[in-house]
Amino acid sequence: MTAYAVPVVNSRDDVLRTALTILRQYGLADLSMRRVATELDVRPSALYWHFTNKQALLTAMADTVLSGVLPRSDRMRWDRQLERLALDLRAALLAVTDGAELVSISQASGLSSAAIGDHFVAAARRGGLSARDATAVRTAVWQLVIGLTIEEQTRAQMAGIGALPPSDREFDREFADGLALILDGARHRLPAS
Amino acid sequence: MTAYAVPVVNSRDDVLRTALTILRQYGLADLSMRRVATELDVRPSALYWHFTNKQALLTAMADTVLSGVLPRSDRMRWDRQLERLALDLRAALLAVTDGAELVSISQASGLSSAAIGDHFVAAARRGGLSARDATAVRTAVWQLVIGLTIEEQTRAQMAGIGALPPSDREFDREFADGLALILDGARHRLPAS
């Protein structure tokens, strides 16, 4: 079958799985609707049955990447819960080529149905923070994860094509220290008890 | 003169200025060495006299974008100084299309000579924080600025091409609240006096 045959309408999961395979192998810059269609041996127009545009596909991909990041037991202390969520989020992003950039784009679109941001807020609220302070915690933690991991994955990509040597930065330590500082700020916001 | 004439070796500033003009008008995705060369009416090879590769050009562009972000008077309180630097950094990124992504790439390369990160550390040290805590402050503030501003500029770009409506998020407020939380964490790290 060529790309000019009657398009087979693949399942939404087929499209998503193929897009994620392309991402893992080649990165975000090489991901296009056309490329996904070619891999599936259908016309690009066949994809729009499932995803109205590339943005919708990227968001679904990001939500898939984030699907395993879930709150742990509520018996865990709220600040430990926040730390755990942040570490799990970072691990999920690092597991996929350009994972952090993908999720940043998805967040920018406002279309994501991933609930991690809500989990951050819920944990901070459970600790006793006001709604506004809990949102501030989410913002600071989220952008620490996204910003630092984008840098780390960009550098890995530069090293991968031989443009630069691998970085000697200790990203995990930078992350842990930044996160600990933010959590100190969060604990500092607790109403005096 | 065509692109096939004997290449005129433009000054380094010409190349940099042209690249920044392309960035401002079209964004990072449309910036290539070829595009810059075409604008300057020279062969791409003429650019490598000044910049060994695109990465070097991007870093020089980022350093130019950041060149106006400088510490204020040391008579300013250290935490106020940090806040001011963070606000100035964010404003500098917002002033250029894809400014945050450009600076993220430049930071990933490790080639940047911009000293803003050092200014963050210096301000925190002046306040009395340990070297490690001061570095943690830099990490958390830097990634808040970069991560959030990447999201904001990505959304602006989506809105610009009509893919999505403008965001109703209050990015400035998200930023201010996240920053205040981090600075609370920083003050919390001061040795008890």
Side-chain angles (χ1 to χ4, degrees):
Chain A
M1 182 172 49
T2 76
Y4 299 97
V6 176
V8 169
V9 178
N10 296 266
S11 78
R12 188 174 186 279
D13 276 355
D14 287 341
V15 178
L16 197 48
R17 198 178 307 117
T18 301
L20 283 165
T21 301
I22 294 170
L23 179 72
R24 283 174 202 277
Q25 292 188 348
Y26 305 100
L28 207 50
D30 285 330
L31 186 85
S32 64
M33 295 298 262
R34 180 170 298 276
R35 178 79 176 259
V36 176
T38 301
E39 284 291 325
L40 286 166
D41 211 5
V42 298
R43 297 190 204 195
S45 58
L47 303 184
Y48 293 89
W49 178 264
H50 301 293
F51 299 99
T52 50
N53 51 39
K54 185 179 172 185
Q55 189 49 59
L57 175 60
L58 291 177
T59 299
M61 292 168 68
D63 287 355
T64 303
V65 168
L66 298 178
S67 60
V69 184
L70 297 167
R72 308 296 177 98
S73 161
D74 272 1
R75 288 194 301 264
M76 191 182 271
R77 254 187 67 138
W78 68 277
D79 47 356
R80 177 89 183 102
Q81 173 92 262
L82 277 171
E83 183 188 23
R84 198 61 255 168
L85 272 170
L87 286 163
D88 289 350
L89 172 58
R90 180 164 147 78
L93 302 181
L94 283 173
V96 184
T97 312
D98 294 334
E101 191 182 347
L102 174 72
V103 169
S104 173
I105 293 170
S106 167
Q107 284 301 116
S109 78
L111 301 173
S112 170
S113 58
I116 299 174
D118 297 339
H119 299 326
F120 281 125
V121 171
R125 292 285 282 158
R126 193 159 58 77
L129 270 70
S130 72
R132 183 165 178 180
D133 285 347
T135 302
V137 171
R138 178 187 65 189
T139 300
V141 173
W142 185 270
Q143 300 302 351
L144 172 66
V145 179
I146 297 289
L148 189 68
T149 311
I150 285 179
E151 256 186 53
E152 182 171 1
Q153 292 187 310
T154 300
R155 179 56 181 250
Q157 197 177 53
M158 292 171 180
I161 60 171
L164 283 173
S167 175
D168 57 2
R169 282 171 59 184
E170 297 181 62
F171 287 101
D172 283 341
R173 177 172 157 152
E174 288 182 35
F175 177 68
D177 285 358
L179 181 60
L181 182 84
I182 294 167
L183 294 179
D184 267 8
R187 283 183 287 261
H188 198 62
R189 290 286 174 90
L190 288 176
S193 55
Chain B
M1 183 171 51
T2 77
Y4 299 97
V6 176
V8 169
V9 179
N10 296 266
S11 78
R12 188 174 186 281
D13 276 355
D14 286 341
V15 177
L16 196 48
R17 198 177 309 115
T18 302
L20 283 165
T21 301
I22 294 170
L23 179 72
R24 282 173 203 279
Q25 292 188 347
Y26 304 101
L28 207 48
D30 285 330
L31 185 84
S32 63
M33 295 297 262
R34 179 170 299 276
R35 178 78 176 260
V36 176
T38 301
E39 284 292 324
L40 285 166
D41 211 4
V42 299
R43 296 190 205 195
S45 57
L47 303 184
Y48 292 91
W49 178 265
H50 300 293
F51 298 99
T52 51
N53 50 39
K54 186 179 171 184
Q55 189 49 59
L57 175 61
L58 291 177
T59 300
M61 292 167 68
D63 288 354
T64 303
V65 168
L66 298 178
S67 60
V69 184
L70 296 168
R72 308 296 177 96
S73 160
D74 272 1
R75 288 194 302 265
M76 192 181 272
R77 254 187 69 136
W78 68 277
D79 47 354
R80 177 89 182 103
Q81 173 92 262
L82 276 171
E83 182 188 23
R84 198 60 255 169
L85 272 170
L87 286 163
D88 289 351
L89 171 58
R90 181 165 147 78
L93 302 182
L94 284 173
V96 185
T97 312
D98 295 334
E101 191 182 347
L102 174 72
V103 168
S104 174
I105 292 170
S106 166
Q107 284 301 116
S109 77
L111 301 173
S112 170
S113 58
I116 298 174
D118 298 339
H119 298 327
F120 281 125
V121 171
R125 292 285 281 158
R126 191 160 59 77
L129 270 69
S130 71
R132 183 165 178 180
D133 285 346
T135 302
V137 171
R138 178 187 66 189
T139 300
V141 173
W142 185 271
Q143 301 302 352
L144 172 66
V145 179
I146 296 290
L148 189 69
T149 311
I150 285 179
E151 255 185 53
E152 183 171 0
Q153 292 186 310
T154 299
R155 179 56 181 250
Q157 198 177 52
M158 291 171 181
I161 61 172
L164 284 173
S167 176
D168 58 1
R169 282 170 60 183
E170 296 180 63
F171 288 100
D172 283 342
R173 175 172 160 153
E174 289 183 35
F175 177 69
D177 285 357
L179 181 60
L181 182 83
I182 293 167
L183 294 179
D184 267 6
R187 283 183 287 262
H188 197 62
R189 290 287 175 90
L190 288 176
S193 56

